[in-house]
């Protein structure tokens, strides 16, 4: 295991991969979808509008590999599969909730800035 301090600014630091996972397009949305408890695949997909089944499957597998999401299979007919946040995944809720709140409260200003920038650039 790594003994030196992790530093995301260093190109070869493993923490950079973690930061990329957290900052990818779907991870924050999947974590938000699972924050209230376990959900089946279809419920996660319905909550995360715009994600394709293929991409959601890949994202859930990556999050499971990273220990952020746990997958439970129940021997029922038909088989039931649920996804839930692990304790590690739950530890992401506070920072991701802060980012979500920031994005929602500043979206208007960002859109205004884009419009102003694009008007000058044209």
């Amino acid at each position: 295991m790594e003994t030196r301090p992790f530093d995301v600014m260093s190109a070869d630091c493993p923490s950079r991969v973690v930061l990329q996972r957290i900052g990818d397009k779907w991870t924050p949305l999947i974590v938000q979808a699972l924050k209230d408890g376990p959900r089946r695949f279809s419920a996660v997909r319905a909550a995360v509008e715009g994600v394709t089944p293929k991409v959601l499957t890949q994202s859930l597998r990556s999050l499971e590999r990273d220990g952020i999401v746990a997958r439970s299979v129940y021997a029922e007919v038909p088989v039931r599969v649920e996804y839930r946040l692990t304790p590690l995944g739950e530890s992401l809720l506070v920072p991701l909730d802060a980012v979500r709140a920031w994005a929602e409260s500043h979206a208007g200003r960002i859109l205004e800035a884009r419009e102003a920038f694009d008007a000058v650039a044209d």
Side-chain angles (χ1 to χ4, degrees):
M1 187 54 75
E2 191 75 29
T3 57
R4 67 185 172 106
F6 293 117
D7 177 6
V8 296
M9 300 306 285
S10 175
D12 62 344
C13 183
S15 64
R16 187 175 280 194
V17 175
V18 175
L19 187 61
Q20 289 169 342
R21 165 76 63 234
I22 295 166
D24 79 9
K25 183 176 183 177
W26 301 110
T27 294
L29 302 175
I30 292 169
V31 170
Q32 289 290 319
L34 295 173
K35 77 183 207 176
D36 292 327
R39 284 186 146 180
R40 295 179 77 160
F41 182 90
S42 58
V44 176
R45 184 168 175 230
V48 181
E49 294 180 10
V51 67
T52 65
K54 177 183 177 184
V55 170
L56 180 57
T57 298
Q58 291 170 340
S59 297
L60 286 166
R61 283 186 182 149
S62 295
L63 292 168
E64 184 180 9
R65 181 175 182 241
D66 291 344
I68 294 170
V69 167
R71 180 178 182 264
S72 299
V73 179
Y74 298 92
E76 299 173 355
V77 178
V79 173
R80 179 171 52 104
V81 178
E82 290 183 341
Y83 297 90
R84 66 172 174 77
L85 294 176
T86 64
L88 181 62
E90 289 173 351
S91 73
L92 267 175
L93 289 173
V94 170
L96 288 181
D97 281 344
V99 171
R100 175 185 179 172
W102 186 92
E104 290 173 348
S105 67
H106 291 84
R109 291 176 61 191
I110 299 291
L111 293 175
E112 289 171 6
R114 286 182 180 179
E115 286 178 17
F117 181 89
D118 291 347
V120 172
D122 289 339

